[in-house]
Amino acid sequence: GGMFDKEYIHCVYAGSFYKDIRNPEYMLKVFSSLRNKRIILHLYSAGCADLINKYEGYGNIQAKGYISQGELQRLYSSCDFLIGVGNAINDFLPSKTYEYISLRRPIIFFNPKGFGNKVLEQYPHSLQIADDTSIEKAVTLFEDFVSNEKGRTISVEDLNEIYACNTTSNIKSILLKGLN
């Protein structure tokens, strides 16, 4: 899939933003502060438009609005990094985490302080940044991760091994045990 031009490093976020539950401001601050101007954030999102408009002027943040699931799958398979914003509600693990992991690309999550993503912790090509990290430190973590992880994917075998307890057959056996 040659949808993205290879001169740049393409990061994709798709989904909704909410001021209280999933606020993009910290992520936008980090992207707007990157020293490497070849890293671009493509937002296929809705919500918090005023905030996004404020940051679009930085040039490496591009808001595109929602697109179809089919188009999104094509973008996912040609981008370099998948971007997530964690929820400020503890029991609420976004299904996006599993969707992203199944794409086998490097993942970067920006989380509200104290809300790390446990499922993502086991994924070797992931970076989580808490929003109480200084912007300067976040930029360094982010840029180091990007230079180390660009182009990496994880094999299906390794993925199945790491998430053995999340496979369909295992979840089915847990459900059946619960029913007996």
Side-chain angles (χ1 to χ4, degrees):
M3 296 202 55
F4 284 125
D5 133 12
K6 286 299 161 223
E7 236 176 282
Y8 293 93
I9 295 163
H10 300 279
C11 301
V12 168
Y13 173 91
S16 304
F17 292 123
Y18 307 96
K19 211 200 264 7
D20 303 326
I21 305 172
R22 199 181 309 133
N23 188 310
E25 181 148 32
Y26 180 77
M27 169 192 72
L28 294 167
K29 262 188 197 144
V30 172
F31 269 94
S32 66
S33 306
L34 293 175
R35 295 175 289 255
N36 182 347
K37 297 301 175 204
R38 287 173 45 245
I39 301 171
I40 297 176
L41 173 62
H42 302 270
L43 294 171
Y44 298 92
S45 65
C48 296
D50 48 338
L51 203 52
I52 288 164
N53 293 341
K54 199 173 100 182
Y55 283 92
E56 259 205 300
Y58 286 90
N60 68 330
I61 296 169
Q62 301 175 7
K64 317 255 172 109
Y66 273 149
I67 54 169
S68 74
Q69 215 32 55
E71 279 182 284
L72 197 52
Q73 291 311 317
R74 283 214 311 282
L75 285 172
Y76 280 159
S77 58
S78 66
C79 73
D80 300 299
F81 293 88
L82 299 161
I83 306 296
V85 176
N87 293 318
I89 300 177
N90 236 342
D91 316 317
F92 191 60
L93 181 73
S95 56
K96 177 158 292 332
T97 302
Y98 287 107
E99 187 188 354
Y100 274 6
I101 287 169
S102 73
L103 295 162
R104 304 181 7 241
R105 295 184 169 275
I107 302 169
I108 300 160
F109 255 68
F110 295 92
N111 297 316
K113 172 188 178 224
F115 291 89
N117 185 320
K118 292 270 180 278
V119 174
L120 202 55
E121 272 169 23
Q122 306 159 279
Y123 185 72
H125 306 295
S126 68
L127 170 68
Q128 298 193 58
I129 303 175
D131 70 7
D132 60 336
T133 307
S134 75
I135 296 295
E136 203 168 325
K137 182 168 187 226
V139 163
T140 300
L141 289 168
F142 188 98
E143 292 188 344
D144 288 352
F145 181 80
V146 164
S147 62
N148 292 326
E149 293 288 331
K150 188 178 184 312
R152 294 212 177 163
T153 53
I154 184 170
S155 71
V156 176
E157 296 73 40
D158 286 351
L159 202 57
N160 285 337
E161 206 167 302
I162 296 167
Y163 293 102
C165 57
N166 297 95
T167 59
T168 318
S169 57
N170 194 58
I171 289 169
K172 198 161 34 181
S173 74
I174 291 167
L175 288 174
L176 291 173
K177 262 186 220 126
L179 294 172
N180 292 342

